[in-house]
Amino acid sequence: MRSARMSLALETGALDLPSQGRIAVYRPRIGDDLSDLPRDRVTVLTGFKPDHDHFAAAYSGTAEPPYAAAIVCLPRSREAARGLIARAAAEVAPGGWIAVDGQKTDGIDTALKDLRARVDLSESLSKAHGKLASFRAGPDLSDWMAKPHLVDGFQTLPGIFSADGPDRGSVLLASALPAKLGGKVADLGAGWGFLAAEILKRPGVKKLDLVEAEADALDCARVNIPDPRARFHWADATTWRPETLLDVVVMNPPFHKGREADPALGAGFIRAARRMLAPSGELWLVANRHLPYDAVLSDSFLEVREVVTEGGFRVIQAIKPKRAKP
């Protein structure tokens, strides 16, 4: 656990809390315990909406840089991790410490090896299948800043889902969508906009809501989808509500929390679609074949059919959402 390594660092004197100034915590996840830090001086910086909302409820303080110290919670992407470390190095006042923390499965060993070649890095503390090490702000790491990629004319960023191009499931879903779609459409978990671009090619679409929890991905979608029919929402798709009921929902829902598969995520997307759709509305969904969505689909829609199965994926159309039980 991240909290165990931070507690160890503070207990052993490897890190000393600054007596004043704000402490920035970059991209913590729900479940990370920040209670060893002074609550009134913590600024949580994350672009993932569920994490943002979780920590905003407990840590209301915000501040602009420079910060007195920082903790970087390592993301899985090596390029994104470097970018986050570089951002912290630029935003912490010279001499303030920057702790880099992560699980071994997320690449902390590689990240610390890369960092040790650039800065005077402390000895690492190992606990709970992860490591933490720190350095003092001052070295210029600006060449590590994450830069946009162009993939077939679309802009993406390191660390967002399918940053190297559209995933196979989305490509299959795009090819299976009908030639014409209803007027009011939502793309849940829209990412950087690949499916949205395909949806907007269909005649009949008057409005498209792109709902995405990752701010970096949504920023890319804003660049990739300049169509005036598109509206962009930084939101958790499972709790977002449209202004009026929709004709169509399209989605390739996530099914992982970290490295662990969690089919409950996709089930939550399906239930959310049911609540969003008009009585005659339809859901278009792509999912890995092994995911157990049949029960929640049957509970949520009157008619469900498998449109195509290919390469370990299946595309499903579900129509006529059932009224929610009291």
Side-chain angles (χ1 to χ4, degrees):
M1 291 291 291
R2 199 181 309 281
S3 57
R5 292 187 292 273
M6 178 55 60
S7 295
L8 180 63
L10 294 172
E11 288 170 6
T12 60
L15 291 176
D16 289 318
L17 290 174
S19 60
Q20 59 185 1
R22 299 204 66 87
I23 301 167
V25 184
Y26 294 84
R27 290 198 76 90
R29 300 304 301 262
I30 293 173
D32 287 340
D33 183 359
L34 307 183
S35 60
D36 285 318
L37 304 176
R39 181 183 295 264
D40 62 337
R41 292 198 286 131
V42 169
T43 293
V44 172
L45 301 166
T46 179
F48 188 60
K49 193 63 162 64
D51 293 338
H52 172 275
D53 291 348
H54 171 79
F55 288 105
Y59 299 91
S60 58
T62 59
E64 297 296 318
Y67 304 113
I71 302 166
V72 175
C73 303
L74 201 73
R76 289 170 60 182
S77 161
R78 183 180 184 182
E79 197 173 348
R82 284 184 167 193
L84 208 57
I85 293 168
R87 178 183 169 189
E91 294 182 344
V92 171
W97 55 256
I98 299 165
V100 180
D101 180 276
Q103 297 298 110
K104 291 183 179 180
T105 51
D106 290 337
I108 185 63
D109 288 316
T110 298
L112 296 183
K113 180 181 177 182
D114 292 345
L115 192 52
R116 198 174 296 280
R118 300 291 302 271
V119 303
D120 183 14
L121 191 67
S122 73
E123 292 297 317
S124 60
L125 296 177
S126 299
K127 194 176 181 69
H129 308 292
K131 291 183 178 180
L132 179 150
S134 64
F135 65 99
R136 297 284 175 173
D140 180 11
L141 301 177
S142 58
D143 57 306
W144 275 9
M145 287 289 190
K147 300 174 181 63
H149 297 165
L150 278 179
V151 180
D152 296 330
F154 290 101
Q155 177 176 296
T156 72
L157 277 170
I160 65 177
F161 175 69
S162 196
D164 296 327
D167 68 290
R168 291 183 298 144
S170 293
V171 172
L172 182 63
L173 177 55
S175 68
L177 289 176
K180 186 175 181 180
L181 289 172
K184 293 180 290 185
V185 186
D187 179 0
L188 302 187
W192 47 261
F194 170 75
L195 279 172
E198 294 296 320
I199 291 166
L200 288 166
K201 293 176 183 178
R202 269 62 178 179
V205 176
K206 296 178 181 178
K207 182 183 74 170
L208 175 61
D209 290 304
L210 288 79
V211 184
E212 172 54 46
E214 179 52 63
D216 283 346
L218 194 66
D219 286 343
C220 290
R222 288 190 176 98
V223 173
N224 296 330
I225 310 296
D227 195 299
R229 293 172 291 171
R231 299 193 300 179
F232 303 88
H233 309 273
W234 183 45
D236 181 344
T238 64
T239 58
W240 179 77
R241 296 290 185 273
E243 293 177 355
T244 58
L245 293 178
L246 303 171
D247 300 305
V248 182
V249 169
V250 177
M251 62 184 183
N252 178 3
F255 63 96
H256 280 92
K257 282 188 177 179
R259 290 185 178 271
E260 299 297 322
D262 185 1
L265 288 172
F269 270 61
I270 291 167
R271 295 188 186 99
R274 179 194 66 189
R275 294 190 295 266
M276 297 174 193
L277 285 165
S280 60
E282 60 180 329
L283 166 66
W284 286 85
L285 159 74
V286 67
N288 291 66
R289 290 179 63 182
H290 71 274
L291 292 172
Y293 292 155
D294 296 290
V296 68
L297 284 163
S298 296
D299 287 344
S300 301
F301 292 88
L302 290 171
E303 298 180 24
V304 179
R305 74 182 184 98
E306 196 166 292
V307 178
V308 62
T309 301
E310 183 179 304
F313 295 92
R314 56 179 180 156
V315 173
I316 296 167
Q317 180 195 28
I319 62 174
K320 300 177 183 177
K322 293 181 179 179
R323 297 174 67 88
K325 297 178 181 179

